[in-house]
Amino acid sequence: MSELKLMKGNEALAEAVIRAGADAYFGYPITPQSEVIEYLMAEKPHERTGMVVLQAESEIAAINMVYGAAGSGKKVMTSSSSPGISLKQEGISYIAGAELPCLYANVVRGGPGLGTIQPSQADYFQSTKGGGHGDYRQIVLAPASVQEMADFVKDGFELAFKYRIPVLILSDGVIGQMMEKVELFDPIPRLTDEEIKEKYPWATTGKKSGTERRIITSLDLDSHKMEQHNLKLQAKYNEITEKEVRYELLDCDDAEYLFVAYGSSARIAQKAVKLARAKGIKAGLFRLITLFPFPTVKMREMCGKGIKGFLAVEMSSGQMVEDVQLAVNGCSKVAHFGRFGGVVHTPEEVLEALEQKIIGG
Amino acid sequence: MSDITLDQIIKPENLVYTKTKLMTDKVLSYCPGCGHGTAHRITMEVIEELGLEEKTIGIAPVGCSVLAYEFMNIDMQQAAHGRAPAVATGIKRVWPEKIVFSYQGDGDLAAIGTNETIHACNRGEKIVIIFINNGIYGMTGGQMAPTTLPGMKSSTSPYGRDVNVMGNPLKVTELVAQLPGTYFVTRQAVHTPANVRKTKRAIKMAFENQRDGKPGVSFVEIVSNCNSGWKMTPRDANTWMEENMFPFYPLGDIKVDGKLVQK
Ligand SMILES: Cc1ncc(C[n+]2csc(CCOP(=O)(O)OP(=O)(O)O)c2C)c(N)n1
Ligand code: SF4
């Protein structure tokens, strides 16, 4: 049954993994997301649903455990924060290349390097432009509440299996650590071994005698075949771009100026919209939910409707703003505002940036 | 001569040996005289003889045997360089009743993948690890491996391995034998028929251990030649291996039934 609870974002995500009918979670501790594995260990999901939880020796091992389990048709997840996500990139590239379904979360902290344990959104490029090597994409979901930390686990697994693709929940230290009310979805039973074999004939579950063997690999030494494989991947990414874009428009109907933001920056920008309207400035919020696919078409359409300027608000020195510029394509003014390195901007700072960089600029 | 067909030469009554059906018909990509092909074949024979075909999932490494999945006619996954023990862990933990094995070279297992090897062994994963130690990086053209002998030449130790600068060869098999999570640890070779038979028995024991749910990793090292990398003929390579590799990497069981073998 669905249940109302007060939880931290990381805990809601962990609880949702169990409820989503996941078969396994492999992880390695790092602030600010260690609550995920701590919650899972404390909950004994093995007794609740039969789900496996294992603390790996590193993020590299964890993502490769995910590769193995996903390649054998199971529903698996890992999570980490920025430095750990960097370590996983080779594995993610392999997962994308071998077309395996998996879900992982990045509760982003400030960088570069060891950086800080405070929240950040500076992993946007890594998340949306590849991260690992090769021509691949992944679906990126950006929760802006504890509720979405839970809901996107369910949605993320569905998308991962629908497209056989890695799906990333790109969160940040604010969303991961804050407590909010959350309505937890009804538990979904784990698939039985027989159901897995039937639903996922590509998975390595042991070859029946006299049938074709299944191979999970990202390798093809024939470059022409590799090009064909890449074309197939690109066709999949195009389909995702057409069908899976998600965003939310707040106070946009009569807006003259738009904040573009995701995650905790969207929550802050929402408050900035209120402050702006109180001053008579017609501001609205274009909240991104999927970062890949990016809502390029909708943003361009909004631009044509007479928006005078877009302010990209993100806790980075300016990464998402590049996609906003590409979408708007010169048809309106675009500027960036954001504190970074672990500093979280205030709604007042955001409004001031709109006034200075867009309205007055 | 020209009228005789293959079928006539190999009459059923003359047939003394057939290839296991768990090896595909694909021509092996290995150099003539390399041990990889023999190691593949006996591994697949064991799986067939134990009736484990439908339960087994194999993991190919990065190295010359990266294409093991082209030759082994069972469900296979190809792992990132060194990560096969983690991939095996992932599979075995979610399919505990399956038989899972990794097949890895020395660069894969004992350099880039040391962490995954040690920790899978230390956790006591119920998997089989088959480890081909040829003292060199075959696939990438003969660079120094963690197992390259002191003084041995390779393309990145062209004047011989100077242990003061390049470090010492790693006896990873002796190392993992010390861990409580290994159940069976042995070192074998496949360069003579007698050794092939011994190694096959060892591989069989390793798979039986897993089949019977014995606690821990069964780890089979096979010291093998890399005649191309060593720049020798296959015959010279085997002689060199006996004279140089075996004294440093002595053959025999190191741990059986979870207990170190007293020497
Ligand atoms: C991350 C990464 N680093 C390096 C390589 C290049 N590489 C491929 S195989 C190999 C060494 C393989 O040697 P070994 O494991 O001893 O196997 P062999 O080829 O001798 O059988 C290296 C360094 C790679 N593919 N991936
Ligand atoms: S390069 Fe060495 S290891 Fe590779 S196939 Fe040839 S002999 Fe075997």
Side-chain angles (χ1 to χ4, degrees):
Chain A
M1 69 277 54
S2 78
E3 224 180 299
L4 211 55
K5 273 195 167 175
L6 185 67
M7 292 182 113
K8 267 191 179 189
N10 287 337
E11 293 168 350
L13 177 118
E15 174 61 30
V17 178
I18 306 173
R19 287 180 181 241
D23 297 298
Y25 170 92
F26 302 103
Y28 187 84
I30 182 171
T31 308
Q33 69 78 55
S34 295
E35 293 85 359
V36 177
I37 190 165
E38 286 168 353
Y39 182 95
L40 286 172
M41 286 292 186
E43 272 301 305
K44 297 187 186 167
H46 196 73
E47 288 174 15
R48 273 176 64 180
T49 66
M51 175 183 158
V52 172
V53 187
L54 184 65
Q55 180 169 331
E57 62 270 33
S58 70
E59 290 86 351
I60 298 175
I63 194 69
N64 284 287
M65 290 172 188
V66 166
Y67 177 95
S72 61
K74 297 276 180 165
K75 200 185 245 191
V76 278
M77 176 166 183
T78 184
S79 65
S80 186
S81 179
S82 309
I85 296 291
S86 291
L87 278 180
K88 290 183 195 289
Q89 293 304 328
E90 184 200 33
I92 292 161
S93 172
Y94 270 67
I95 288 170
E99 295 191 85
L100 302 180
C102 86
L103 181 65
Y104 72 109
N106 182 0
V107 183
V108 182
R109 59 190 249 179
L114 193 52
T116 166
I117 57 171
Q118 303 304 326
S120 164
Q121 294 181 313
D123 296 353
Y124 180 91
F125 281 155
Q126 184 195 54
S127 310
T128 60
K129 311 289 175 194
H133 57 285
D135 257 334
Y136 77 90
R137 296 288 185 159
Q138 57 189 359
I139 296 176
V140 185
L141 301 170
S145 61
V146 173
Q147 183 66 52
E148 285 184 342
M149 283 290 265
D151 294 346
F152 287 0
V153 169
K154 189 172 152 198
D155 298 358
F157 273 130
E158 279 169 15
L159 290 165
F161 276 89
K162 182 171 173 194
Y163 293 102
R164 283 178 62 186
I165 192 171
V167 174
L168 166 62
I169 295 181
L170 188 70
S171 181
D172 61 62
V174 177
I175 306 290
Q177 292 296 326
M178 74 183 182
M179 289 188 93
E180 276 185 329
K181 192 175 66 181
V182 51
E183 192 179 340
L184 295 163
F185 57 83
D186 293 343
I188 302 163
R190 288 176 53 232
L191 293 184
T192 64
D193 290 353
E194 287 316 308
E195 284 169 334
I196 287 172
K197 286 180 194 168
E198 211 182 292
K199 277 184 93 153
Y200 312 126
W202 48 265
T204 56
T205 56
K207 172 185 102 79
K208 281 258 165 303
S209 194
T211 63
E212 270 295 301
R213 70 195 191 286
R214 275 74 54 99
I215 296 168
I216 301 297
T217 184
S218 57
L219 173 76
D220 205 318
L221 294 172
D222 179 336
S223 52
H224 292 281
K225 284 196 193 143
M226 195 31 97
E227 187 181 39
Q228 289 308 313
H229 176 60
N230 268 275
L231 286 168
K232 184 180 153 215
L233 292 179
Q234 292 305 318
K236 171 159 84 178
Y237 304 148
N238 289 340
E239 186 187 344
I240 289 168
T241 304
E242 255 169 50
K243 294 185 182 161
E244 305 297 347
V245 173
R246 296 188 197 185
Y247 54 84
E248 186 183 21
L249 302 176
L250 287 161
D251 293 316
C252 286
D253 288 346
D254 64 339
E256 293 178 349
Y257 304 101
L258 290 187
F259 296 117
V260 183
Y262 66 93
S264 50
S265 274
R267 297 286 289 268
I268 297 161
Q270 205 175 333
K271 178 77 185 181
V273 168
K274 283 213 175 91
L275 297 178
R277 295 231 165 215
K279 282 179 95 173
I281 301 168
K282 287 186 177 168
L285 170 63
F286 193 127
R287 175 167 86 94
L288 308 179
I289 297 175
T290 52
L291 306 184
F292 179 84
F294 193 85
T296 306
V297 176
K298 185 66 189 176
M299 206 166 279
R300 200 161 285 169
E301 183 192 312
M302 299 289 288
C303 192
K305 283 184 183 159
I307 298 291
K308 292 179 187 163
F310 293 81
L311 183 69
V313 183
E314 49 181 330
M315 292 188 286
S316 76
S317 62
Q319 301 189 11
M320 174 198 66
V321 65
E322 292 190 5
D323 284 332
V324 179
Q325 278 162 337
L326 282 172
V328 170
N329 199 19
C331 117
S332 180
K333 199 185 274 183
V334 176
H336 164 264
F337 175 73
R339 303 292 302 270
F340 43 93
V343 179
V344 181
H345 30 245
T346 64
E348 290 76 14
E349 285 174 322
V350 171
L351 174 59
E352 198 185 309
L354 178 73
E355 290 176 311
Q356 287 177 2
K357 295 187 174 195
I358 299 284
I359 302 173
Chain B
M1 185 72 202
S2 59
D3 295 327
I4 301 170
T5 65
L6 198 65
D7 288 349
Q8 288 169 306
I9 301 170
I10 311 171
K11 296 203 176 86
E13 62 269 29
N14 294 336
L15 206 64
V16 289
Y17 174 80
T18 51
K19 179 167 69 78
T20 162
K21 68 177 179 22
L22 297 190
M23 284 294 282
T24 64
D25 290 332
K26 189 136 186 159
V27 176
L28 292 175
S29 51
Y30 304 114
C31 306
C34 173
H36 272 307
T38 312
H40 282 23
R41 172 173 61 77
I42 56 180
T43 304
M44 290 299 110
E45 283 175 358
V46 164
I47 292 170
E48 184 179 12
E49 285 162 23
L50 295 177
L52 298 175
E53 171 187 1
E54 301 195 351
K55 289 181 82 174
T56 305
I57 300 154
I59 299 149
V62 173
C64 277
S65 48
V66 65
L67 290 175
Y69 61 77
E70 294 277 353
F71 313 125
M72 297 181 174
N73 193 10
I74 53 168
D75 277 3
M76 295 282 293
Q77 295 196 16
Q78 195 285 315
H81 196 19
R83 316 302 172 207
V87 173
T89 300
I91 302 172
K92 186 70 181 180
R93 290 291 179 129
V94 293
W95 290 99
E97 73 291 357
K98 302 281 178 203
I99 302 293
V100 183
F101 76 94
S102 70
Y103 182 103
Q104 304 175 254
D106 42 32
D108 194 83
L109 180 140
I112 194 167
T114 316
N115 207 26
E116 285 74 15
T117 303
I118 299 278
H119 284 280
C121 286
N122 199 44
R123 279 193 305 266
E125 298 296 339
K126 293 176 185 144
I127 58 172
V128 171
I129 295 178
I130 295 175
F131 165 40
I132 308 296
N133 175 7
N134 56 18
I136 208 157
Y137 286 6
M139 185 187 206
T140 38
Q143 294 85 5
M144 186 177 70
T147 45
T148 298
L149 296 178
M152 184 174 164
K153 286 185 181 161
S154 73
S155 68
T156 52
S157 57
Y159 309 107
R161 181 179 194 149
D162 176 351
V163 295
N164 293 317
V165 179
M166 300 163 177
N168 294 287
L170 183 65
K171 294 188 179 183
V172 70
T173 305
E174 277 80 356
L175 202 76
V176 298
Q178 299 302 320
L179 304 173
T182 48
Y183 186 76
F184 173 48
V185 181
T186 187
R187 181 184 286 123
Q188 302 293 338
V190 290
H191 66 308
T192 68
N195 284 102
V196 171
R197 276 195 293 275
K198 268 194 195 164
T199 306
K200 189 173 164 183
R201 274 202 297 277
I203 293 175
K204 193 167 210 164
M205 187 187 277
F207 278 92
E208 282 169 348
N209 287 340
Q210 187 178 166
R211 179 198 63 192
D212 299 342
K214 291 292 189 319
V217 173
S218 288
F219 190 101
V220 182
E221 173 179 339
I222 299 171
V223 181
S224 178
N225 80 59
C226 173
N227 53 75
S228 290
W230 298 355
K231 309 212 182 316
M232 293 176 199
T233 64
R235 254 180 89 157
D236 289 350
N238 281 342
T239 310
W240 191 89
M241 179 170 72
E242 284 177 346
E243 289 171 357
N244 298 277
M245 294 283 278
F246 292 173
F248 197 87
Y249 299 112
L251 305 188
D253 292 341
I254 301 173
K255 193 177 195 180
V256 178
D257 293 344
K259 287 186 203 74
L260 288 169
V261 174
Q262 301 299 327
K263 291 246 162 81

